[in-house]
Amino acid sequence: MMDFSLKQLSELNPADLIQARAHALGSTEFRFIYASYHPDSTFRHNFTCCNDYLSHVHSETSVAPQIDECRILLEDIESSIARVLYRMRITLADGTQEGYYEVAELRRHNGGWRYLRGYKVPLHELRAVSTEHISCELIMQRGICF
């Protein structure tokens, strides 16, 4: 069982933060997910307090997806900014399977790493590209930023 405390959050390196966020999503640990966002993120501008986010999550009819894979492909850390390239595969409540590559951009905040923004590209859009040619630059160039 993973510890979803704020203390644990502050001790995670960037790649472990991405893994912990995936685990938290699958476990519906939405307070941890909220806390893992950087204050300057668009997400935190949309949800200015955790209770707003929790109300939104609980009003949604969708159930948290099953996380089938969260595979870290690259971690690049430069002082206060980090990028993590990973592949995610999920199964939605209706049984639909989805997958994507993401570059998560993280920034240090209060001594720990926090998720600032991400760039996603669905797996099916990159079928013709071999895994060893998937790069942060490719995903950031082709991806949707959120």
Side-chain angles (χ1 to χ4, degrees):
M1 188 70 162
M2 180 170 269
D3 172 19
F4 291 109
S5 69
L6 293 180
K7 179 183 183 300
Q8 192 252 356
L9 176 61
S10 68
E11 295 172 354
L12 296 172
N13 67 36
D16 289 340
L17 176 63
I18 296 305
Q19 292 283 5
R21 283 170 52 92
H23 190 76
L25 179 61
S27 302
T28 66
E29 293 288 341
F30 298 116
R31 286 184 188 280
F32 182 87
I33 292 169
Y34 184 86
S36 72
Y37 276 96
H38 193 279
D40 293 338
S41 66
T42 300
F43 177 90
R44 290 286 283 269
H45 289 280
N46 291 334
F47 298 103
T48 54
C49 73
C50 188
N51 286 337
D52 289 347
Y53 174 57
L54 295 176
S55 293
H56 169 75
V57 169
H58 295 304
S59 70
E60 289 290 306
T61 56
S62 62
V63 177
Q66 172 185 315
I67 308 301
D68 301 316
E69 176 188 45
C70 180
R71 182 170 171 221
I72 305 297
L73 304 173
L74 176 84
E75 179 185 56
D76 181 25
I77 302 171
E78 292 182 25
S79 65
S80 64
I81 296 177
R83 289 190 180 135
V84 179
L85 171 62
Y86 64 99
R87 182 176 63 216
M88 181 78 96
R89 294 177 197 264
I90 61 174
T91 302
L92 303 175
D94 65 3
T96 306
Q97 293 184 322
E98 294 182 2
Y100 55 87
Y101 286 102
E102 180 176 340
V103 171
E105 192 174 308
L106 297 97
R107 190 179 292 163
R108 282 197 178 277
H109 178 72
N110 290 341
W113 292 99
R114 298 294 185 275
Y115 186 101
L116 182 64
R117 70 178 62 93
Y119 300 83
K120 280 186 187 178
V121 178
L123 292 179
H124 67 84
E125 289 184 19
L126 297 174
R127 274 194 197 116
V129 181
S130 62
T131 304
E132 62 268 9
H133 291 105
I134 302 293
S135 66
C136 289
E137 293 74 21
L138 176 70
I139 302 304
M140 291 171 76
Q141 185 178 66
R142 292 198 190 181
I144 296 170
C145 181
F146 60 96

